[in-house]
Amino acid sequence: MEAVKRALDKISVERIKLELLGNAYNSSSTVLGRLDPRTLLIWYLFFAIVPWFMHNRTILLGMFILMAVCTVLARASTFIIFILCLGLITQVGWMFLLSLFFGGGGESVLPMLTLTLKLSVISLASITVFSSLDPERLSDGLSALGVPDAFAFSLSYGYRILPTLLEEFHQILLSFRLRGLRPQKNGMLYWRTAAYYLRIIVLVFYPLMLNTAKRSRTTVEALETRGYNYAVNNPQVKKLKLSYLSLKPRDWMFAGVTALYLIALFTLGTAFPELIY
């Protein structure tokens, strides 16, 4: 219990905000962060789509190992990985309990394992890419691949403003706590305290959404003032903006190593499709 309590004491909104800031803006110092954003996005597109059509557990396990190595190289946030593991455990757990409720047994473990491997590969690929690209490089990479500039900018803006929204959420939460009255007794299993905090969190979202709308309007007006529409629709401006993107030897090396690994993995998976029983 003491270990759990110490772990919970380390969790705070400020720490989560710092984790998100480090995850969003500390990507250039990693091995994968030096790659061209187009290379990472095409690599991610493969690992986000192909696992859905794979049922060979040997291949899925190999992909999972590759994603785990890439996540370590990307120096992904520990908090994000914890959220991923918690989500996978809860999602697969309730599905397994549901299968037991409808008369299933131990034979449902293997399908659950296959689904878990698929979700793990896709989730780790997402964490790796977003940990290796800052908002600006993410937007430029999408634009270079032909994604509409408005969508690329919106995604980048949402990624960039997330720590700010979290900070604002924290400030509003503190104001509600300062003006509110916490229950004098925690109740059995702390249900009174839990209900108090859940109620505050729900109430916080109303002013947060209002402030977000006001902030978005201010951002749009600032962009219009600085000629955003003209820049988006001008091919010369776009060419100048993306001129720093170039495929270097390390990009080709990364793509080549991934391709060789996948060829070996598919060969092994074809020979031993049921390596995991």
Side-chain angles (χ1 to χ4, degrees):
M1 292 297 294
E2 290 296 329
V4 175
K5 185 177 180 180
R6 287 195 298 268
L8 291 176
D9 290 339
K10 295 180 180 179
I11 299 176
S12 63
V13 176
E14 186 68 23
R15 182 176 179 85
I16 295 174
K17 186 189 73 172
L18 293 176
E19 289 278 352
L20 291 176
L21 286 172
N23 191 74
Y25 297 101
N26 194 30
S27 58
S28 59
S29 61
T30 63
V31 176
L32 299 182
R34 302 188 192 95
L35 298 175
D36 189 277
R38 294 169 295 180
T39 303
L40 286 174
L41 290 172
I42 294 174
W43 178 86
Y44 167 69
L45 192 63
F46 176 85
F47 287 101
I49 296 176
V50 172
W52 288 115
F53 303 96
M54 299 298 304
H55 301 282
N56 189 313
R57 284 188 290 272
T58 302
I59 297 178
L60 289 174
L61 178 62
M63 287 184 175
F64 173 77
I65 294 174
L66 176 63
M67 291 303 103
V69 173
C70 291
T71 304
V72 173
L73 293 177
R75 299 178 187 175
S77 169
T78 307
F79 172 74
I80 296 178
I81 295 177
F82 171 75
I83 295 297
L84 167 65
C85 295
L86 183 63
L88 288 175
I89 292 174
T90 53
Q91 181 173 1
V92 176
W94 76 261
M95 291 178 66
F96 178 69
L97 293 176
L98 193 62
S99 67
L100 293 179
F101 178 77
F102 284 102
E107 64 276 4
S108 61
V109 173
L110 284 180
M112 295 295 175
L113 177 61
T114 304
L115 176 62
T116 303
L117 286 174
K118 290 182 179 184
L119 295 176
S120 299
V121 170
I122 297 170
S123 301
L124 289 177
S126 303
I127 292 175
T128 299
V129 170
F130 283 96
S131 298
S132 304
L133 293 176
D134 57 47
E136 182 177 356
R137 294 178 68 239
L138 174 62
S139 176
D140 292 344
L142 291 173
S143 297
L145 292 176
V147 176
D149 293 302
F151 176 79
F153 173 78
S154 300
L155 184 62
S156 172
Y157 178 73
Y159 189 27
R160 188 189 300 270
I161 204 176
L162 185 60
T164 305
L165 291 179
L166 192 60
E167 173 68 21
E168 192 163 352
F169 172 82
H170 189 204
Q171 295 300 326
I172 299 174
L173 180 65
L174 290 178
S175 66
F176 270 99
R177 290 183 60 189
L178 181 63
R179 299 172 184 175
L181 180 62
R182 181 174 175 174
Q184 298 296 326
K185 296 182 179 180
N186 294 321
M188 185 178 297
L189 298 178
Y190 289 83
W191 74 269
R192 295 180 185 273
T193 304
Y196 168 75
Y197 280 110
L198 288 175
R199 178 178 176 274
I200 287 181
I201 290 174
V202 172
L203 294 176
V204 163
F205 275 98
Y206 293 100
L208 180 63
M209 291 300 103
L210 178 61
N211 293 342
T212 303
K214 294 168 58 178
R215 189 188 302 274
S216 301
R217 181 179 178 180
T218 304
T219 304
V220 170
E221 292 176 349
L223 289 173
E224 292 295 337
T225 303
R226 299 179 182 181
Y228 172 76
N229 280 336
Y230 173 79
V232 168
N233 297 318
N234 192 318
Q236 294 181 351
V237 174
K238 183 176 180 179
K239 182 179 179 180
L240 180 64
K241 179 184 178 183
L242 303 179
S243 60
Y244 75 96
L245 298 178
S246 62
L247 295 177
K248 299 179 180 179
R250 56 173 171 258
D251 295 288
W252 297 107
M253 184 179 300
F254 175 74
V257 170
T258 303
L260 290 176
Y261 180 85
L262 289 176
I263 291 172
L265 180 61
F266 275 82
T267 303
L268 178 64
T270 304
F272 303 98
E274 300 296 336
L275 191 61
I276 303 177
Y277 291 98

